[in-house]
Amino acid sequence: MESANFIEDIINEELASRKVDGVYTRFPPEPNGYLHVGHCKSLSINFGIKEKYNGKCNLRFDDTNPTKEDVEYVDSIKEDITWLGYKWDKELYASDYFDATYEYAVLLIKKGFAYVCEFSAEQIRATRGTLTEPGTESPYRNRSIEENLQLFTEMKEGRYPDGSKVLRAKIDMASPNMNMRDPVIYRILRAHHHRTGDKWCIYPMYDFAHPIGDAIEGITHSICTLEFEDHRPLYDWVTLHCGFTKRPRQIEFARLNIKNTIMSKRYLKKLVETGFVAGWNDPRMPTISGMRERGYPPESIREFCARVGVAKANSEVDTSLLEFCVRENLNRNADRAMVVENPIKMVIDNMLDDEIFSFEVLNNPNNESSDTHTIYFRKEIYIDREDFKLNPPPKYHRLTEGGMVRLKGAFIVKHISTELNAEGNPSVVHCEYIKDSAQGGVNAKIKVKGVIQWVNCQDAIDCELYQYGALLTDATETVTDFNQRLNPDSLTINRSAKAEPYVLQGQMNKVYQFMRLAYYKKAVQNEGVLRFYLVVSLKDSFNK
Ligand code: ATP
Ligand code: MG
């Protein structure tokens, strides 16, 4: 199998040397928030390996922190992964193994590899030592196995207050790796758990529960982000001393960082709680549900992850790469529609009041086999204010006084006169259309520099355009804090736009290219309201 990155190199080697006879990965989210674009990277690696090697991948919720977890998050995580197009083999929870994990802790105690310590969190920190100095051993470290067994049982039975005792692995207080200095593996915590209820008042720590979950499930490659590199010796210690014969291998990769993008569930949660955004799925949020609500196709997010690649060193990706992938997908797939953002009326002087021309246009000119729809040209139409100028700037290729322009999908028109309002600005533009200048007509070849979109006034549909900007402003030398960088103009609403009636036909969530404007998703359509969300601009700022 051709390898795409260093993880696949490792897998290929292990398959070739028969160290493993298949690959089994897992995606282990903590259900304490919604998944964000960073998680897509991990999903793409773990499920990508499953798909490529015909292996398996479990979805395992790391629910060892009952105070922060919730079923709402479990449900959203499943929905998001499914939407991205990934299929997990088993849905499991760290809490499924609370009994087993407890038994492994007892086994460690029996082997002399764990002890109950009465130190407070503060005392444990104070005796841990530093990177340059060893820690000091706890006075409880050499308790007898019997005493440890009894105390641990009593911890489980709820005989001690929260935080009064912990179970620690007995490893090496002088280890150069701080994680190996007798880490805590169980703590007392009276908290209601969203799955096990009030059954437990002691909970395993992630560093203990995680390797056990992996080993029980037969995971071959436990892929995680670089922060866990220093935890790997502990990971290996746990599976070794708990006596697993088939031991998973932990492999670390660099997490995905995107410029100006918040990728901390904790902070995203704050944005939701303070009401700065409408919810976890606000289209400005870098969450998977936010991107779905925004109208990003799932394939474009997968493509983004593939292009970012898998690296061992941290780096930062530009948001424009994600937008590039979205735009590339939509350019191929989105149907085109005409919408005028900022309308000004144009009257075609040489047409009768009730005269109509109709034209068939391809819904998606990038796809010759796409359906067509009809556009109707009438005496009164709207064009965009920006597309007519009395005093045009240099290189202005649209309509000017006495000039000509092509109306997309219809005729060439020639400017005749302009009505001005009280402020002296154009209020109505008068033109004449050039006969036989539509596509295929004898005058179609007349040279004009510009093509502009339009909608006829009689059939035009009022719509609202929700236009999104970045949630964060750029960091400066003095302003780096997220709180100070929240962009107050991240949402502006245009309520004066006019659309061709074709946009009424599409189902909800359909994404269109509004020609010459941007890609927009149909977000709301009910009596009196037709609302679109800006998905992504047409312009490509990504530098290949
Ligand atoms: P947060 O710090 O935002 O809570 P987390 O890392 O604690 O994120 P988890 O739910 O533990 O979130 O993440 C599930 C998986 O996704 C983990 O394997 C984690 O390493 C991975 N992951 C999280 N963020 C990123 C990221 N930015 N890039 C790549 N993988 C990530
Ligand atoms: Mg985590």
Side-chain angles (χ1 to χ4, degrees):
M1 201 80 75
E2 195 165 329
S3 150
N5 54 54
F6 77 95
I7 299 178
E8 294 185 7
D9 287 343
I10 293 173
I11 291 174
N12 283 343
E13 230 172 76
E14 294 190 358
L15 285 170
S17 66
R18 300 272 167 130
K19 190 160 176 266
V20 293
D21 48 19
V23 284
Y24 207 150
T25 58
R26 85 287 170 268
F27 176 71
E30 186 178 349
N32 62 351
Y34 282 56
L35 296 182
H36 53 64
V37 58
H39 294 111
C40 296
K41 178 81 253 184
S42 176
L43 285 164
S44 122
I45 296 174
N46 284 298
F47 284 95
I49 288 170
K50 164 193 155 106
E51 288 167 4
K52 178 163 179 173
Y53 291 90
N54 201 11
K56 289 184 172 171
C57 180
N58 289 347
L59 169 59
R60 177 170 357 108
F61 290 98
D62 160 35
D63 56 351
T64 51
N65 237 335
T67 50
K68 298 199 183 122
E69 294 157 3
D70 202 274
V71 260
E72 175 196 348
Y73 301 133
V74 169
D75 294 342
S76 77
I77 288 169
K78 292 187 335 193
E79 185 183 355
D80 290 348
I81 297 174
T82 304
W83 176 73
L84 281 172
Y86 297 119
K87 289 193 177 67
W88 56 85
D89 286 275
K90 292 183 185 157
E91 174 188 333
L92 298 159
Y93 295 78
S95 56
D96 292 338
Y97 310 125
F98 279 172
D99 286 302
T101 311
Y102 178 82
E103 290 308 324
Y104 282 112
V106 169
L107 178 72
L108 289 185
I109 295 173
K110 286 182 179 160
K111 288 178 162 182
F113 285 129
Y115 63 97
V116 173
C117 181
E118 327 257 328
F119 270 177
S120 63
E122 189 45 52
Q123 286 169 307
I124 291 178
R125 216 172 302 126
T127 53
R128 250 182 116 205
T130 65
L131 285 175
T132 49
E133 281 168 44
T136 43
E137 293 188 353
S138 157
Y140 307 102
R141 198 173 198 262
N142 294 313
R143 281 183 150 140
S144 69
I145 289 173
E146 290 68 35
E147 194 183 355
N148 279 317
L149 282 176
Q150 170 154 11
L151 287 170
F152 190 52
T153 310
E154 290 170 358
M155 277 168 65
K156 180 192 176 201
E157 288 168 351
R159 305 259 202 110
Y160 304 109
D162 287 9
S164 61
K165 289 182 176 42
V166 289
L167 185 70
R168 296 175 73 175
K170 190 171 178 177
I171 309 179
D172 179 5
M173 287 307 290
S175 170
N177 183 329
M178 304 281 282
N179 294 303
M180 299 297 270
R181 295 184 185 171
D182 292 9
V184 172
I185 58 175
Y186 257 96
R187 59 189 169 145
I188 306 175
L189 177 69
R190 285 170 179 79
H192 187 82
H193 188 283
H194 69 100
R195 298 191 85 236
T196 57
D198 297 314
K199 174 172 175 193
W200 295 91
C201 64
I202 57 171
Y203 290 97
M205 302 303 287
Y206 178 82
D207 275 343
F208 187 55
H210 195 73
I212 290 176
D214 283 348
I216 291 176
E217 289 169 27
I219 301 304
T220 54
H221 300 88
S222 179
I223 299 164
C224 61
T225 44
L226 277 181
E227 320 81 272
F228 290 96
E229 196 168 14
D230 287 344
H231 297 237
R232 192 187 336 136
L234 177 55
Y235 183 97
D236 289 339
W237 185 94
V238 170
T239 57
L240 179 70
H241 290 93
C242 289
F244 290 101
T245 47
K246 284 209 163 162
R247 295 167 58 210
R249 172 170 182 175
Q250 177 178 306
I251 304 173
E252 309 86 14
F253 69 97
R255 63 194 293 128
L256 173 64
N257 296 307
I258 305 182
K259 218 173 168 179
N260 281 353
T261 303
I262 302 169
M263 272 196 280
S264 141
K265 277 186 277 189
R266 203 166 45 86
Y267 197 78
L268 293 171
K269 189 170 179 189
K270 205 171 134 191
L271 291 179
V272 174
E273 284 168 353
T274 57
F276 187 81
V277 294
W280 284 96
N281 71 342
D282 186 298
R284 291 166 291 179
M285 290 282 270
T287 49
I288 298 182
S289 55
M291 294 188 286
R292 175 168 64 237
E293 185 67 7
R294 180 82 179 251
Y296 285 12
E299 298 78 14
S300 67
I301 299 171
R302 292 175 64 150
E303 173 64 20
F304 167 69
C305 292
R307 280 175 184 256
V308 168
V310 181
K312 243 193 255 193
N314 279 314
S315 65
E316 203 174 53
V317 180
D318 207 282
T319 31
S320 60
L321 177 59
L322 176 56
E323 290 176 356
F324 168 84
C325 295
V326 173
R327 188 181 294 117
E328 196 191 49
N329 180 296
L330 294 176
N331 183 39
R332 263 183 285 121
N333 300 317
D335 288 345
R336 271 58 171 172
M338 291 206 281
V339 172
V340 172
E341 260 184 313
N342 191 8
I344 181 172
K345 191 182 274 186
M346 177 186 279
V347 179
I348 312 295
D349 291 344
N350 59 343
M351 271 176 83
L352 302 171
D353 283 353
D354 56 356
E355 201 172 353
I356 303 185
F357 292 97
S358 67
F359 302 98
E360 275 305 291
V361 294
L362 274 175
N363 294 349
N364 179 357
N366 272 353
N367 175 4
E368 286 297 325
S369 61
S370 79
D371 287 340
T372 61
H373 69 276
T374 312
I375 54 175
Y376 296 95
F377 188 73
R378 296 177 188 266
K379 185 179 179 71
E380 293 193 345
I381 65 172
Y382 291 117
I383 63 162
D384 203 287
R385 275 180 191 279
E386 288 302 307
D387 289 337
F388 172 69
K389 285 253 188 292
L390 289 173
N391 301 305
K395 294 195 181 154
Y396 184 79
H397 291 321
R398 301 169 245 170
L399 191 62
T400 53
E401 277 188 294
M404 290 203 284
V405 78
R406 174 174 285 286
L407 297 175
K408 181 82 191 166
F411 298 112
I412 294 170
V413 292
K414 181 174 182 353
H415 177 264
I416 301 296
S417 65
T418 312
E419 291 177 37
L420 301 178
N421 61 15
E423 289 89 55
N425 294 319
S427 55
V428 180
V429 184
H430 289 267
C431 286
E432 287 185 354
Y433 80 99
I434 311 288
K435 294 212 163 67
D436 295 321
S437 64
Q439 207 185 13
V442 289
N443 288 324
K445 292 221 166 65
I446 293 177
K447 276 227 164 70
V448 289
K449 289 211 176 110
V451 182
I452 63 173
Q453 82 276 21
W454 55 276
V455 294
N456 88 57
C457 298
Q458 190 175 328
D459 303 330
I461 310 290
D462 289 323
C463 57
E464 297 177 341
L465 304 182
Y466 275 49
Q467 298 172 324
Y468 299 107
L471 208 46
L472 292 184
T473 58
D474 286 359
T476 64
E477 257 171 52
T478 47
V479 182
T480 50
D481 191 309
F482 284 162
N483 290 310
Q484 295 167 14
R485 290 174 55 202
L486 289 176
N487 176 9
D489 302 319
S490 55
L491 169 62
T492 50
I493 304 174
N494 173 339
R495 293 200 164 85
S496 52
K498 307 276 185 188
E500 62 167 306
Y502 167 58
V503 299
L504 292 176
Q505 293 168 26
Q507 74 281 40
M508 287 301 290
N509 298 319
K510 180 180 168 92
V511 177
Y512 296 90
Q513 183 193 99
F514 289 171
M515 283 188 283
R516 300 181 62 237
L517 298 181
Y519 293 96
Y520 277 90
K521 183 195 98 158
K522 186 190 279 191
V524 177
Q525 178 173 348
N526 54 34
E527 302 108 74
V529 185
L530 179 61
R531 181 176 303 156
F532 293 92
Y533 291 163
L534 173 71
V535 183
V536 70
S537 65
L538 293 179
K539 210 175 133 248
D540 183 3
S541 60
F542 174 58
N543 193 346
K544 276 173 266 185

